[in-house]
Amino acid sequence: MNVHTGTESFDVVVVGLGGLGSAAAWHLAASGRRVLGLEQFALGHERGASHDTSRILRHSYHRPDYVRLTRHAYDDWARLEQAAGERFVTRTGGVDLCPENSGLPLDDYWQSLAAERIPYELLDADEVRVRWPQIAVPDGTTAMYQERTSIVPAARSTAAMQRLAVEAGARLRDNTPVTGIRHGAHGVEVITPHARYSADQVVLCTDAWANTLLGPLGWDIPLVVLEEQVTYFEPADPARFAPGAFPVWIWLDDPCFYGFPAYGEATVKAGQDCGGPEVRPDDRSGTTDPDMLRLLSRFMEERFPGSGRPARSKRCLYTLTPDRDFVLGPVPGAERVLVGLGAAHAFKFAPTLGRMLSELARDPALATAEPYTTFRLDRPALTDRDHPVNWMT
């Protein structure tokens, strides 16, 4: 039953059309729901976390429940490719590199893969050097290789999911900020500067802006927003860093770094995980941070000596929960409002989390089943202000 406000009515309004919101809009519309998607900026904007080129798709995680979820991610990316008629997944293989005495134990990763029967290889420093002479690791380094690690394109796949949503009947409107949500027993009213909409349900995928709309509903998620930076380097011999010759890599230490082979151009991309300054989503620089660039450049010169000079840098937002787990489920006390928040490692799961939000919208009873229970809004990490912070992924 819709709220009767004299405005347009929909089954579901999706607020925020980055990767998660676009996936949710696509899956909801494909299931026959009448869907409106609202984005406060232009579609494909660069103010959030779903722009630019490459993202990592991997099985390698520090917990078995996430490894199980990656199985669905690979399947859902294949379904997206089939639906869109485009190729999104580029397999490169991936290596997790763990220096001696690291605070991020590699054991958690290979044991989680083993628990889920995902094949992997453990390598020592000499084996890493022989297999990838582009990588200069110190003695004592251990590594784990997983053959299915891949690259997926952020901006292009988000645009494809938006296209699929429209083809399935969804209406998407950009440059339309939502200024308020009113939850009632029979529906939800969504307020924008120029119109109001009524819906049976609302799906919030607003990431760094989540609390703006959750606050009036009585919820404030303890989020930290960081302005991160990735840099593209120009190797003198790009062929040495091409997919097939060079893997996706993650350096498991503090600081933690990650990077990609050359993808779509003759550059290699790298960045630091959780290394940027804390910002407010509407008050960030958007410009290259020279200190972050120097730190990353020194690391790349030392560990990937052929990666070359930095060509350009780009900024993005990391929106982090204290436990770095997703938020996926209804708002307690306002159950017609569902939240999807990716905790700065969700793009690899975007088609899967969009599907899960769609399924939860159709069947609210799923909120009491795993994995939704792990990601609920009222878990201790989000309600206990003294809960320890752990951003390991």
Side-chain angles (χ1 to χ4, degrees), residues 132-215:
W132 303 288
Q134 309 92 321
I135 307 177
V137 294
D139 291 339
T141 297
T142 55
M144 184 182 74
Y145 177 75
Q146 210 291 309
E147 63 178 358
R148 290 191 76 194
T149 299
S150 302
I151 298 173
V152 292
R156 185 163 66 86
S157 59
T158 298
M161 289 186 287
Q162 291 166 358
R163 173 175 59 81
L164 289 170
V166 171
E167 290 175 355
R171 293 167 62 181
L172 306 185
R173 295 175 181 168
D174 61 358
N175 295 304
T176 306
V178 173
T179 57
I181 292 175
R182 295 177 181 172
H183 182 276
H186 301 294
V188 188
E189 184 181 33
V190 179
I191 304 166
T192 74
H194 304 295
R196 298 186 179 206
Y197 306 98
S198 64
D200 290 330
Q201 295 167 302
V202 166
V203 176
L204 288 183
C205 295
T206 49
D207 205 49
W209 292 265
N211 284 328
T212 302
L213 296 172
L214 288 174

Side-chain angles (χ1 to χ4, degrees), residues 315-330:
R315 307 301 294 269
C316 68
L317 295 184
Y318 267 31
T319 303
L320 298 158
T321 55
D323 54 5
R324 209 171 180 182
D325 282 337
F326 306 143
V327 182
L328 200 71

